[in-house]
Amino acid sequence: MMKNFLIATLAAAWSAAAFAAPELTVNEKKLAARPLTDYAALITPPEVPRAFDVHREGCPVCGDKIKKHGMYSWIIDEAKPFKLQCPECKTVFPDNDYAAYLQSGLKDQSLLTGKYVDDGRGWKDGDKPGKYWFVAYYNHWTLKRRIESLLPQLANAYVRTGDSAFAERALVMLDKLAEYYPRYDHNKQSRYAEEVAPRYTGRIVNAIWETGIAASVADSWRKVAPALDQETPALCAATGKDNAALRANIENNMLRVMADDIMSENGRIRGNFGMHQWALLKIAIALKGRGGEPDDQAMVRWVTDYRKNSTPSSAPFDYVLYNNIFGDGAPMESPGYNAGWLNCIAVMADMLRDYGINYAELHPFSKRLFTYPAKLVVCGVYSPSSGDSGNIRGRASYGGSINTLRYSFATNPCPESSSLLLTARGLAAEEREAAEKLADPLFGYRSNLLSAYGVASLQNENQEKPLAYWLSFGFYPGHKHFDALHLELFTGTGPLMPDFGYPDSASGDDPTRFAFYSNTLVHNTMVVDAKAQDARAGRILAYDPGNFAQYIRAEAPDVYPGMTKYERSGLVVEPTPGKLIVLDVFRAAGGKQHDLFFHSAGETVETNLELKPQSGGTLAGEKVEVGAFYDDPRYAGETKGPRNFSRYRGSGYQYLTNVRSGANRPGAVLTLPVSETAKLLESGKGTYLRMHPVAGDAETLILSEGPSPRTQRGAPGKVVFVTRRRVAGEGEENFKSSFATVLENGPGTLISSVEALKQTEESVVLKIKLDNGDTLYCFDAVAPQSEFKFDEVAFAGQSGAVLVGKDGKEKSSYSYGEKPAFKAKVAAMDLKGETLTLDSDIPAELAVKGAFFTVGQAAYRIGEVSGKTVKLLDQSPVRGLFRFESFDEQQRTGEVSPQLVLARGKLALYEADGKTWVGEAHSQSNAGRLRVELPAKVETGKDYLLSECSPGDEVTLVTSQRK
Ligand SMILES: [Zn+2]
Ligand SMILES: [Zn+2]
């Protein structure tokens, strides 16, 4: 009942425009006043090149100063065709009149005069690599806006008012576009293909953004095509075609070409997952019932049904939930790109309803896909930036557009979908009221775990004085940074040590993107042997949210080949409300140099350590200048021709300057204030991160500075980097480090001293004296310890904290792993039912909802327990759904489709029912192949499921005590 009411309300809100009075708006009057023939001239022919950027270094006059105005900030004024103005130095480029040159049919060379001359293919500055593509930049952004914004404005004005003047103007644009469309070839007509990626293609714009062009064209055509049912003399005069010829031109030369580009996968219209499917469904609906080859039914089937050799971005809709979405609901990319997945899937699910397909009912756990972004939120309004997403501020919600949030709420009204809907602006009063009734009062303040996507938060669940610890340990294939075991802390006024988020630019020819912004050093984690991490997943080993003290542990040894240990644990204590003390322990074994990085959110640092300045250069060395590719000869010299830095795996140390260093010592403290001048950071005055780097063996502490992304307006110009460095001695084998760091948040001091009572490879025990006279004992060990004592205080387990008052009495205590862990083996699984059946009963006192446990390489939380069977909490163990195209009995490997992008390592192969175990499978480096150990036979042409955990895997559940 509730649901029906909602859908009716939402439908009314969505179609409100249809009932509005047909009086013309100011904008509509302007559109109608412009002569019909003008609209044809708005579409430039294929011969005019396109470029989304002018030059990687910025402006010919003021250089990279332009970057502080944001990405794509050149000023375009359509009254001055093909001219660009620099927002920084105000210079206008080019000098020549390109419009006149275009009018001459690109023939009259006498028009190409001045200092900055651009004939469409850019102006060259002497020997400097790359050209400045002024005309192409103007053309790219102007044409894109005309098709994606002006054209829908006309089509919508026609739908709203019924005035054929708008339809005719849209049809003039569509007709001209269709005349040119088969000849648009981004590979031959763009800066990007000529200078950066020679095989890159598209049509008008690049293949990814062309999906937006196709969707806009199809949708606009659907809306204005009915105007051709009447006589249109003015339109015929303007285009020289009768209505039948117009229709044929637009449908055959453009819409069907677009459909063919998508369905043949020729690469000209192909976006991230969902983008081209969305466009194809728009084309299908625009051509509904028109027949032809392919017809609209075939287009729909291309989107939904099994197809051989489909790539991840084109995986059939029925397979995507299993192959491209993690079992915890997160899609396979960074959160910003994932929001695009949600938008596309919501829109597609909506469009597919027209074809009798009810996605939410067919795939009940698709609901989780739309609510997973709730688990990214910390301190109420922040979602830590990750990969190419967000910015240094971290204030974001990644649930998608308002209509996506509405779709999620309408199909799955629950506390998370309601709370996410309430983050949207522009809700109708009834919607807001309905959502508020269901919303989670602690939304954004709860501790959350996405164990497959690979992020976790520990929060104090206090809305007045929120605190959050955040750890990233997973790997996702799309737009990930090399950031395994990156740590962050948040308070109610924002991040204290934020990920930088989206890099300076998304361009492959931008050296800072790969060498710095997505590199390991720019994250709060460890760089081994001055190299970037490999793109491999880590896993979570312990997760225990709760009051007073909370615990987390994760490892990612595969990110550096040859490491036997690369592990981080966090004991997160809140001795008084709103004040955080974190015992952070990073253990590593292998390699020759361990550099543990922390960076702040501000320009300054105070320390009681005596540090000696390095005489110039960068962290890469005194002689290594800023930006020099000192550790990768492929990029060292300036070379001409296309440049792409995506394969750089060096240190990135050449971007850190003002280097100071010295020996770490007991009692060392660093205070790192959050910037008070950066507009993006809203932290109150005096907010800081304070670090107590508990001195270990032969350790150097280094301070330096690096730039935050310059295209993020309002970001601090630079931030402070802290590096704790240990280097193996000559000939030292099996080099190990164990860095213990105590972190606290300001304003207001809390810790007066930190003393290491014990510090070995096995364990660290700290005595932390607080300003109020209390003493906090913290410890962390590689494995559970039997009882031991310091200062008459008893400890046991793998990690723990004891808070002792001035009077010597224990106020609070916490221990993790004091009692022996519960162990069992997986006997059977039901993948679709999301249950595991163990070989023994789970003791009732352990069968607590939300309790964390590991299974083989995977980790889950308990939903419900009955006897030996555990229902997983809001998570599926599935990592793939596919068919074998062929199978080689000798090699025991088969070709599979769709590609298995999330299936890694050892997997369990199941029949499509999700209950019948078939055998043990192993992923191959090529996601299109799978090796199967057992059984004797697999069949081609039928569905199989893959699970990340297997029958026989060990289940481990560790408990904790809080007093
Ligand atoms: Zn300039
Ligand atoms: Zn990052």
Side-chain angles (χ1 to χ4, degrees), residues 114-256:
K115 181 175 179 201
Y116 301 105
V117 182
D118 185 355
D119 67 354
R121 298 205 81 94
W123 169 74
K124 187 94 171 79
D125 185 6
D127 280 344
K128 195 177 208 179
K131 295 184 284 185
Y132 289 82
W133 296 68
F134 310 114
V135 167
Y137 181 99
Y138 176 96
N139 191 38
H140 169 102
W141 291 106
T142 307
L143 199 49
K144 189 171 184 301
R145 200 173 35 72
R146 285 169 181 166
I147 299 168
E148 290 182 358
S149 166
L150 177 61
L151 184 61
Q153 281 175 43
L154 290 165
N156 291 332
Y158 172 62
V159 169
R160 196 180 80 79
T161 64
D163 184 339
S164 63
F166 296 112
E168 290 179 357
R169 278 156 179 75
L171 285 161
V172 163
M173 289 178 77
L174 287 166
D175 176 60
K176 188 51 85 181
L177 268 171
E179 277 179 19
Y180 294 145
Y181 202 76
R183 288 197 295 116
Y184 285 119
D185 181 354
H186 197 258
N187 184 256
K188 302 275 181 303
Q189 300 155 358
S190 71
R191 165 185 177 265
Y192 207 72
E194 182 177 322
E195 292 194 353
V196 184
R199 287 164 64 190
Y200 209 84
T201 190
R203 285 275 179 189
I204 295 172
V205 292
N206 63 68
I208 297 173
W209 291 355
E210 191 72 16
T211 59
I213 300 269
S216 176
V217 161
D219 201 47
S220 302
W221 166 245
R222 178 180 63 80
K223 288 172 178 163
V224 300
L228 294 180
D229 296 341
Q230 270 100 52
E231 298 274 298
T232 56
L235 182 61
C236 294
T239 60
K241 296 186 183 78
D242 65 19
N243 286 2
L246 274 169
R247 187 182 282 277
N249 181 37
I250 294 166
E251 289 189 349
N252 298 335
N253 294 331
M254 187 153 57
L255 293 182
R256 289 189 194 284

Side-chain angles (χ1 to χ4, degrees), residues 458-750:
L458 291 170
Q459 303 208 63
N460 64 351
E461 306 200 344
N462 178 343
Q463 282 169 292
E464 305 303 315
K465 295 175 175 175
L467 294 170
Y469 170 102
W470 174 264
L471 188 67
S472 153
F473 52 85
F475 178 77
Y476 48 79
H479 294 273
K480 180 77 170 156
H481 291 174
F482 301 107
D483 64 350
L485 304 190
H486 166 73
L487 153 77
E488 284 195 42
L489 301 179
F490 282 80
T491 68
T493 51
L496 299 181
M497 45 200 306
D499 183 281
F500 290 174
Y502 207 88
D504 236 7
S505 84
S507 192
D509 66 337
D510 181 345
T512 64
R513 176 179 175 194
F514 300 103
F516 193 62
Y517 292 112
S518 59
N519 206 344
T520 308
L521 83 155
V522 90
H523 299 90
N524 300 312
T525 186
M526 182 187 283
V527 175
V528 176
D529 294 345
K531 284 195 183 68
Q533 292 177 352
D534 279 354
R536 303 292 291 273
R539 65 186 195 116
I540 187 158
L541 303 167
Y543 179 72
D544 187 32
N547 293 329
F548 173 58
Q550 322 190 59
Y551 188 57
I552 190 167
R553 177 183 290 252
E555 64 169 8
D558 296 345
V559 299
Y560 283 112
M563 296 293 283
T564 52
K565 197 176 260 302
Y566 188 82
E567 184 183 291
R568 183 166 226 162
S569 59
L571 176 67
V572 181
V573 189
E574 191 184 17
T576 60
K579 298 294 277 182
L580 187 69
I581 293 180
V582 175
L583 167 57
D584 169 55
V585 182
F586 206 119
R587 296 185 175 92
K592 297 288 174 202
Q593 180 175 319
H594 296 161
D595 289 352
L596 181 61
F597 275 86
F598 296 89
H599 66 257
S600 71
E603 303 87 344
T604 59
V605 56
E606 269 173 52
T607 181
N608 59 359
L609 283 170
E610 275 156 38
L611 304 176
K612 203 171 139 238
Q614 175 179 297
S615 62
T618 58
L619 184 62
E622 270 176 12
K623 300 251 147 52
V624 181
E625 290 307 312
V626 178
F629 280 81
Y630 75 104
D631 54 356
D632 193 334
R634 287 176 301 179
Y635 304 110
E638 275 291 0
T639 53
K640 297 199 170 102
R643 298 271 284 170
N644 190 313
F645 296 86
S646 61
R647 288 169 62 214
Y648 177 74
R649 291 291 178 274
S651 71
Y653 289 0
Q654 65 269 32
Y655 288 96
L656 297 181
T657 55
N658 189 14
V659 180
R660 296 144 279 165
S661 65
N664 190 13
R665 59 161 174 80
V669 185
L670 297 114
T671 305
L672 299 148
V674 174
S675 172
E676 286 180 8
T677 54
K679 292 196 184 82
L680 274 177
L681 298 163
E682 54 220 337
S683 305
K685 242 186 156 26
T687 305
Y688 58 77
L689 169 71
R690 183 168 284 164
M691 285 178 60
H692 306 261
V694 183
D697 235 14
E699 178 195 333
T700 307
L701 194 138
I702 309 166
L703 294 181
S704 59
E705 295 166 0
S708 61
R710 289 164 294 177
T711 46
Q712 290 176 12
R713 273 174 278 182
K718 62 181 184 189
V719 299
V720 172
F721 282 73
V722 179
T723 313
R724 301 184 63 181
R725 172 174 293 175
R726 292 190 69 247
V727 182
E730 184 104 359
E732 185 176 347
E733 292 296 317
N734 198 14
F735 177 56
K736 288 180 183 168
S737 293
S738 171
F739 291 103
T741 313
V742 175
L743 303 165
E744 62 170 318
N745 66 302
T749 57
L750 178 61

